Amino acid sequence: MRKVNRVLRVEEGKAEVIEKPYPRITEGFVLVKQHIAPICTEQRVYDGSPLEWFEKSDGLGHEGVGEIVEVAPGSSYKVGDRVIIYQGWPCGTCLTCTQGLGPTHCRNLRGLDAIEKACGSESGGYGFSQYRIAPEHMVQRIPDGLSYKHASAATCLIGCTYSAVVEQDISAQHYCLVGGIGFIGLATIVNLKYRNAKVIALGRN
């Protein structure tokens, strides 16, 4: 049976699943069969102003969780590992990366198309695909007993404010004011409460 990769293509007024060649990987990458691919801010593509790594109609999405189906020789992962895929392809050597801070703030961040190019693959770099290529240092094993649904929250849903809270060394002795309680504000509250901070939330009303 011919292996293919099913990818979501989104154009103005139209969305469809298309077939593209099955992804190839090289050293330093893993191939993940995605179970959930959350939507972050992809709706921006509709007004013709691409955001972040959304460089083409069939290259969208940057979050995901799933099961590793292929590894390169020498990988620290194995087929069957359940993983979270974090967004982008950070350099791993700048100050942001070496301090364990948010990868989206990497000073040399590469887009998801660069992942496909590095592997010589025609698909698999983006989040809205059945099979996705991910740099090894951008995946994390999901603990046993944690569902894919709940693990996916570690990407942009809650993960987007994790680094800021850690960097400020927030603890139970702190009072923290969160101005605005949209999805990023709510994520901030979750991370603050996890560290036992006292939270004051400032909403619009």
Side-chain angles (χ1 to χ4, degrees), residues 33-126:
K33 182 176 182 179
Q34 294 196 115
H35 287 249
I36 299 176
I39 294 176
C40 184
T41 50
E42 279 78 9
Q43 67 272 15
R44 283 289 300 277
V45 76
Y46 292 112
D47 65 11
S49 54
L51 179 67
E52 298 179 337
W53 304 290
F54 316 143
E55 291 138 339
K56 51 190 179 181
S57 62
D58 56 351
L60 300 173
H62 59 261
E63 303 182 58
V65 292
E67 176 185 358
I68 291 179
V69 293
E70 186 178 339
V71 297
S75 174
S76 59
Y77 291 88
K78 66 182 186 301
V79 172
D81 281 346
R82 300 186 320 129
V83 294
I84 300 164
I85 306 170
Y86 295 109
Q87 64 268 36
W89 185 16
C91 67
T93 58
C94 72
L95 178 66
T96 299
C97 290
T98 56
Q99 295 301 308
L101 302 176
T104 52
H105 301 292
C106 167
R107 298 180 183 185
N108 307 300
L109 188 68
R110 290 157 285 188
L112 301 183
D113 61 333
I115 293 173
E116 292 180 358
K117 291 175 183 175
C119 291
S121 183
E122 297 177 52
S123 76
Y126 293 85

Side-chain angles (χ1 to χ4, degrees), residues 117-173:
K117 291 175 183 175
C119 291
S121 183
E122 297 177 52
S123 76
Y126 293 85
F128 291 166
S129 57
Q130 181 181 15
Y131 294 97
R132 181 170 172 197
I133 304 166
E136 279 206 12
H137 68 290
M138 291 304 288
V139 299
Q140 181 178 354
R141 288 183 179 90
I142 297 172
D144 293 340
L146 185 63
S147 70
Y148 284 120
K149 176 181 176 180
H150 291 96
S152 68
T155 52
C156 290
L157 181 60
I158 294 177
C160 61
T161 62
Y162 173 82
S163 293
V165 173
V166 171
E167 186 177 3
Q168 297 300 317
D169 198 24
I170 300 298
S171 67
Q173 67 180 343

